[in-house]
Amino acid sequence: MNIIASKSALTGRITVPGSKSHTIRALLLATLAEGTSHIKNPLPSADCLSTAAAVPLIGSEIDLNLSTEGEPGTEWIVRGAGKNLHLPDDVVNVGDSGSLLYFLTPIAACFEGTSVFTGDASIRKRPVLHVVDALNQLGAKSFVTRPGSNGCPLVINGSIRKGGIVRTPGEVSSQYISGLMMAGILTENPVKIELSNPKETPYLTMTQKWLQKVGIKCQVSEDFKHIETSPCKSFKGFDVTIPSDWEGVAFPLIAALISDSKITIENVDSSGTQGDDAIVSILQSIGGNIVWDKEKETLTVCGGKLSKDGIGRLSTENCPKGELHVNISGFPDAVCALSAIACFTEGTTVIEDAAVCRRKETDRLKVLKIELSRLGADVEEKEDSLVIHGHSPVLKDGSKNPEFILHGAVCESYDDHRMAMSLSCMGLGLAEGEKIIINDAECCAVSFPHFYDVMNTINANFTKEV
């Protein structure tokens, strides 16, 4: 499916689906628990549904409360495997979910026998040798099936059941660290993780809070370089409501700021467990008119002519040395949204410490350079950063800025959900008559099902190319 995006003004209220990160953790821990868990407001995305399909292979039962049309319901019921948890019954196909791959492999490695993990073409390009090394340090005998490859299929022999110490950089991804933290529930002795270069640390905090929520003892040092999970013979199922996904909030947020829009985003997670909420203060620092009511859990966003000053010009001029510098290592999934809005911001934006972004669904630094340049943006790609020299569509007095030259084009999504959503949002801020066509845009279902339909309820006017 190809999507056409063009100038539009958003209005109304929107609710973003539940958090993918929270939903997957909830499904995995509910599977490890004794008894029944109720998960409300889960994200029915492709990654979460892949998780729901995988965890029964290790002993749980999942009821998605499907509608007559086959749509997952708003409350999922998990009957935990508990003491009957076992080696996967079959090859585990994680689909396109890196989270599931990195979380579940350490859990499966707690059992004697052989487990096999694979996924779609994208997953088979995602690095796994760091997982192989970590598991083998703890006593497993894991390997990839293709000599010279750093991707699935991944085979795990032996077991990490004894626990112990694992030393690993932690810079490739936080997800396998979270997997090791959860695996520590099942081991005979604590799992102690020594990280030399921890990244995406808010997600490690999220995992720690989840473990503590279900009664597991988990210690994380202030610098995130020392983590320890203590074994637990059993813990009970739980009831939980999944908060909204900040990674999804980013897209209507930037769309409203680059257009003559006023929207309210509801059910916003104010718990501080998602590092991506940093995007609010970043956008406010460049002039974004955003009001976050943490009691009501809403974001009110005004852009363009509907902003407080009636102009809505975004600029880095009030940032230190006149440039916006964002260390993205703690919330790398925001790189696409931040890069997109940087193209509409007067001044230079530097997205730093971003090497982890090369190891997502695609090499996001590389493809952002390609696609944003295709739209007329001035982008520099460096080894671990992007530098974007942007221009606001308007000058300080609200008149048209002659240096703003972004234009429409046909763009590729690279089957990357965040690329597809970012590019489509950019179309709303272009000049009248310009349009962006995003090829293979249906990939947004990975994290935001029905994204285009939901955005159209607030007047995005996305259309399908026929």
Side-chain angles (χ1 to χ4, degrees):
M1 176 182 73
N2 299 339
I3 285 290
I4 302 173
S6 56
K7 184 178 179 62
S8 187
L10 305 180
T11 183
R13 307 176 80 87
I14 185 174
T15 299
V16 172
S19 161
K20 180 179 77 167
S21 299
H22 279 293
T23 300
I24 292 178
R25 284 168 174 80
L27 286 169
L28 288 167
L29 289 172
T31 290
L32 271 56
E34 295 280 358
T36 300
S37 296
H38 296 262
I39 303 172
K40 299 176 183 178
N41 194 41
L43 176 66
S45 70
D47 281 7
C48 296
L49 294 176
S50 291
T51 304
V55 290
L57 296 177
I58 60 174
S60 65
E61 297 178 12
I62 309 287
D63 182 356
L64 300 180
N65 280 319
L66 297 176
S67 68
T68 53
E69 293 80 22
E71 289 284 329
T74 57
E75 179 178 337
W76 297 354
I77 300 171
V78 182
R79 296 171 183 86
K83 63 179 179 297
N84 296 317
L85 200 72
H86 55 71
L87 192 76
D89 287 330
D90 200 352
V91 172
V92 181
N93 189 321
V94 302
D96 189 33
S97 179
S99 300
L100 175 58
L101 172 66
Y102 295 139
F103 287 172
L104 191 54
T105 43
I107 293 172
C110 290
F111 301 95
E112 291 290 347
T114 301
S115 301
V116 181
F117 285 78
T118 191
D120 66 8
S122 173
I123 280 293
R124 295 195 299 275
K125 296 176 183 177
R126 300 280 285 269
V128 294
L129 290 182
H130 59 295
V131 180
V132 169
D133 176 67
L135 297 180
N136 289 352
Q137 285 186 51
L138 292 172
K141 297 178 181 178
S142 52
F143 59 90
V144 295
T145 62
R146 296 174 290 164
S149 168
N150 186 12
C152 288
L154 167 63
V155 178
I156 304 170
N157 284 327
S159 171
I160 66 170
R161 192 77 185 204
K162 291 184 178 180
I165 300 175
V166 56
R167 295 179 175 86
T168 183
E171 63 191 24
V172 175
S173 168
S174 68
Q175 292 169 333
Y176 76 110
I177 307 302
S178 287
L180 290 166
M181 292 166 71
M182 287 186 275
I185 299 171
L186 306 173
T187 53
E188 296 171 1
N189 300 294
V191 169
K192 299 179 181 180
I193 308 166
E194 303 292 327
L195 301 178
S196 59
N197 191 21
K199 300 292 183 182
E200 302 179 307
T201 53
Y203 294 104
L204 300 180
T205 299
M206 182 188 293
T207 302
Q208 179 192 27
K209 288 182 178 295
W210 263 103
L211 292 173
Q212 292 173 339
K213 176 182 176 67
V214 300
I216 307 301
K217 185 178 179 181
C218 179
Q219 299 176 344
V220 179
S221 65
E222 289 187 8
D223 61 4
F224 293 92
K225 291 187 175 182
H226 310 282
I227 300 173
E228 179 176 337
T229 301
S230 298
C232 180
K233 290 185 178 179
S234 69
F235 62 94
K236 295 181 180 180
F238 49 84
D239 293 352
V240 68
T241 299
I242 301 297
S244 57
D245 193 342
W246 268 100
E247 296 165 6
V249 167
F251 300 107
L253 177 54
I254 66 165
L257 288 178
I258 65 173
S259 56
D260 297 329
S261 301
K262 180 178 181 179
I263 63 169
T264 298
I265 307 172
E266 300 181 313
N267 191 32
V268 169
D269 180 15
S270 301
S271 69
T273 59
Q274 299 184 57
D276 300 75
D277 62 9
I279 194 171
V280 172
S281 60
I282 291 169
L283 295 178
Q284 288 173 330
S285 75
I286 57 173
N289 187 176
I290 308 166
V291 177
W292 184 356
D293 188 325
K294 294 188 178 183
E295 288 189 5
K296 294 182 180 179
E297 297 188 325
T298 61
L299 283 180
T300 301
V301 190
C302 300
K305 295 176 181 178
L306 296 183
S307 62
K308 189 175 181 179
D309 64 3
I311 297 174
R313 181 175 180 267
L314 303 176
S315 171
T316 66
E317 60 191 359
N318 293 323
C319 298
K321 298 182 179 180
E323 294 184 348
L324 174 63
H325 286 254
V326 179
N327 186 312
I328 203 76
S329 64
F331 51 108
D333 285 332
V335 69
C336 296
L338 285 173
S339 297
I341 200 166
C343 297
F344 293 82
T345 302
E346 192 68 35
T348 296
T349 297
V350 184
I351 300 177
E352 303 169 319
D353 204 357
V356 67
C357 301
R358 294 191 184 277
R359 298 183 288 268
K360 296 295 183 177
E361 281 78 351
T362 186
D363 180 341
R364 285 180 175 156
L365 301 188
K366 177 181 177 180
V367 301
L368 280 166
K369 159 69 174 176
I370 293 171
E371 299 306 318
L372 298 181
S373 299
R374 195 190 306 275
L375 296 171
D378 183 355
V379 182
E380 298 177 56
E381 177 195 355
K382 299 187 177 182
E383 185 176 353
D384 69 345
S385 65
L386 278 182
V387 181
I388 302 165
H389 305 285
H391 292 288
S392 168
V394 295
L395 299 174
K396 289 183 178 182
D397 62 2
S399 61
K400 185 177 180 180
N401 183 359
E403 293 189 332
F404 179 79
I405 58 172
L406 288 185
H407 53 75
V410 177
C411 293
E412 301 298 328
S413 71
Y414 302 87
D415 289 324
D416 184 335
H417 50 128
R418 302 198 199 286
M419 284 294 297
M421 290 186 282
S422 296
L423 292 167
S424 63
C425 288
M426 290 182 72
L428 307 187
L430 296 182
E432 198 74 52
E434 298 285 350
K435 63 182 180 181
I436 299 176
I437 300 174
I438 305 98
N439 291 331
D440 302 317
E442 68 274 10
C443 57
C444 67
V446 167
S447 62
F448 199 144
H450 311 298
F451 170 72
Y452 304 107
D453 293 334
V454 172
M455 288 293 290
N456 281 348
T457 66
I458 55 171
N459 203 40
N461 294 327
F462 293 132
T463 59
K464 296 179 182 179
E465 188 179 45
V466 294

